[in-house]
């Protein structure tokens, strides 16, 4: 697996790089050689944050954690990734290495996660009215949801505004 370590407002020491490399290498049991792991370390709002993204030709896994200790973040983030792998192992079995799940022990989790099958429990239909981004954010605030879908009056394309963890907003414009 290829590894890239990036940082912002944080100096990644050689010791931390070595630990990240050794721990990410343990995930090689799941991913093919063309997989790419990106670890992003940053210091923000008094917390050390780590984002790990693992991509290959067929899969995409991502984990983001924050704490007062970057070294703790490594294990927390990697256990989240491993939990995602196990939750999707039946669906993606052909995409992982053939021997991925042969070993009984897990790398970062104490027990194999219980898999709960989710279902669509509610279906909604609504008309998209052309609006601008500021009005869409106002509508998001009024509905108290995490996201709001709208037809961008400027571009005529479907857009989404969403509430980020830092209480700012994100904006997605769909290309089709």
């Amino acid at each position: 697996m290829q590894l890239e370590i990036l940082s912002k407002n944080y100096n990644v020491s050689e010791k931390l790089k070595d630990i990240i490399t050794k721990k990410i290498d343990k995930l090689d049991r799941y991913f093919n050689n063309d997989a790419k792991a990106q670890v992003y370390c940053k210091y923000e709002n008094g917390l050390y944050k780590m984002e790990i993204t693992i991509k290959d030709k067929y899969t995409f896994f991502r984990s983001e954690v924050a704490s007062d200790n970057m070294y703790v973040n490594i294990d927390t983030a990697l256990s989240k990734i491993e939990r995602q792998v196990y939750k999707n192992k039946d669906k993606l079995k052909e995409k992982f290495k053939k021997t991925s799940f042969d070993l009984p022990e897990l790398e970062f989790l104490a027990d194999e996660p219980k898999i709960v099958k989710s279902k669509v429990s509610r279906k909604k239909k609504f008309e998209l009215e052309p609006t601008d981004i500021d009005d869409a954010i106002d509508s998001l605030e009024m509905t108290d949801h995490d996201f709001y879908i709208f037809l961008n009056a400027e571009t005529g394309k479907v857009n989404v505004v969403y509430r980020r963890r830092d209480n700012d907003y994100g904006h997605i414009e769909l290309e089709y």
Side-chain angles (χ1 to χ4, degrees):
M1 183 180 326
Q2 299 170 28
L3 173 63
E4 180 180 26
I5 300 173
L6 305 168
S7 65
K8 178 182 177 185
N9 297 331
Y10 182 78
N11 183 25
V12 181
S13 68
E14 288 304 315
K15 179 182 175 187
L16 182 60
K17 284 181 186 177
D18 288 343
I19 291 171
I20 290 171
T21 302
K22 286 177 186 167
K23 293 196 179 221
I24 290 280
D25 284 347
K26 290 182 179 184
L27 293 178
D28 275 345
R29 75 186 262 190
Y30 303 115
F31 299 99
N32 294 309
N33 293 337
D34 60 345
K36 295 179 176 140
Q38 184 179 67
V39 179
Y40 187 51
C41 304
K42 62 184 172 181
Y43 184 75
E44 187 176 82
N45 299 328
L47 291 173
Y48 297 100
K49 296 183 179 183
M50 180 177 282
E51 299 170 16
I52 299 177
T53 305
I54 300 176
K55 293 187 237 180
D56 68 13
K57 188 175 179 181
Y58 305 104
T59 59
F60 177 87
F61 295 96
R62 186 173 184 285
S63 173
E64 182 177 334
V65 295
S67 75
D68 58 358
N69 186 324
M70 192 63 83
Y71 291 90
V72 170
N73 287 348
I74 300 165
D75 290 327
T76 307
L78 290 175
S79 65
K80 284 184 174 187
I81 297 278
E82 191 169 44
R83 186 173 297 107
Q84 292 170 21
V85 166
Y86 264 82
K87 280 179 69 176
N88 293 287
K89 77 178 185 181
D90 291 333
K91 197 183 317 180
L92 300 170
K93 200 160 203 148
E94 291 79 41
K95 312 292 190 241
F96 293 122
K97 281 185 178 175
K98 301 297 179 219
T99 58
S100 293
F101 304 101
D102 290 350
L103 299 173
E105 68 275 352
L106 300 164
E107 296 296 339
F108 300 100
L109 297 171
D111 297 314
E112 188 171 327
K114 291 183 178 25
I115 299 169
V116 178
K117 180 102 167 107
S118 298
K119 62 181 179 171
V120 175
S121 60
R122 188 169 183 189
K123 186 176 178 180
K124 289 184 176 184
K125 286 186 179 182
F126 60 95
E127 265 187 56
L128 291 177
E129 295 291 330
T131 188
D132 63 25
I133 294 171
D134 291 332
D135 288 340
I137 290 172
D138 290 343
S139 295
L140 172 66
E141 288 296 324
M142 288 184 265
T143 60
D144 198 34
H145 286 119
D146 294 327
F147 67 94
Y148 184 78
I149 301 170
F150 67 101
L151 186 63
N152 191 320
E154 240 180 77
T155 65
K157 294 185 176 184
V158 176
N159 285 208
V160 178
V161 289
Y162 62 95
R163 188 180 332 276
R164 295 171 41 92
R165 287 188 186 121
D166 61 6
N167 287 324
D168 283 341
Y169 297 100
H171 174 225
I172 300 171
E173 183 171 89
L174 303 176
E175 292 289 329
Y176 46 93

